Amino acid sequence: IYSVLIYWMVGFYSSAAAFFTFVFGLFVMAMTMTALFRLIGSVSPNIQIANILSGVSLLSFLLYTGYIIPLSSMKGWFISIRYINPLAWGFAAMLLNEYQDLVFECTRPYLVPYGAGYNDLRYKVCMIAGAQPASDRVSGRDYMRAQLSAHVPMLWPDIVITIGFWALYVAL
């Protein structure tokens, strides 16, 4: 019920395929994180240690999802946290699902230069990531590629990788 309310209330891309992919992706991520926390609880000697390990793992997973700290800004061996992070793969799938068919319009102040005498689009540049010169529109695919190093064909592989993490946590 959460995903039904949130999807339409927030105003995500309105298509049946995108909606059901969103619902399925949230379900997979919820099951994966539930399995992870059950795994942590089963290998911990007591509930205090399990709470500490769960909190630290959740915090590091959220920080290294690629939203708070972009992939290009991750330093050293910390980038490996992103690749062993089921939330990162699920988050990338949800972003790809939402952005793949969107087109952003570039207006002032992101279309520069602007002001009197700067009306010819051939001599303007959009400052949104993924923009092409002399264009006032940015596709969601180009934005995702430039800003988050994500590629649309990875939507379903990202979900399958998240399912793989779920299977791993359940098996352990």
Side-chain angles (χ1 to χ4, degrees), residues 19-100:
F19 170 71
F20 287 113
T21 303
F22 176 78
V23 171
F24 181 69
L26 279 184
F27 175 75
V28 168
M29 286 192 295
M31 292 297 102
T32 302
M33 292 310 290
T34 300
L36 172 65
F37 294 138
R38 286 183 179 194
L39 173 64
I40 290 172
S42 68
V43 299
S44 299
N46 58 44
I47 195 163
Q48 290 82 13
I49 300 296
N51 283 337
I52 292 169
L53 291 176
S54 295
V56 168
S57 66
L58 183 61
L59 179 63
S60 63
F61 281 177
L62 290 174
L63 281 175
Y64 286 92
T65 297
Y67 182 70
I68 296 172
I69 303 173
L71 189 60
S72 60
S73 298
M74 293 181 191
K75 303 290 184 205
W77 68 271
F78 288 115
I79 199 166
S80 63
I81 295 172
R82 195 255 184 243
Y83 294 110
I84 61 167
N85 181 353
L87 286 180
W89 297 102
F91 180 70
M94 295 297 98
L95 283 177
L96 290 169
N97 181 51
E98 179 59 26
Y99 280 79
Q100 68 182 342

Side-chain angles (χ1 to χ4, degrees), residues 104 106 110-112 121-139 141-143 145-146:
F104 303 103
C106 196
Y110 300 107
L111 193 59
V112 294
L121 186 59
R122 292 179 298 169
Y123 304 110
K124 292 186 174 192
V125 175
C126 180
M127 301 302 291
I128 297 174
Q132 302 298 321
S135 175
D136 63 346
R137 299 194 185 279
V138 180
S139 75
R141 293 170 187 252
D142 291 339
Y143 176 79
R145 192 175 305 113

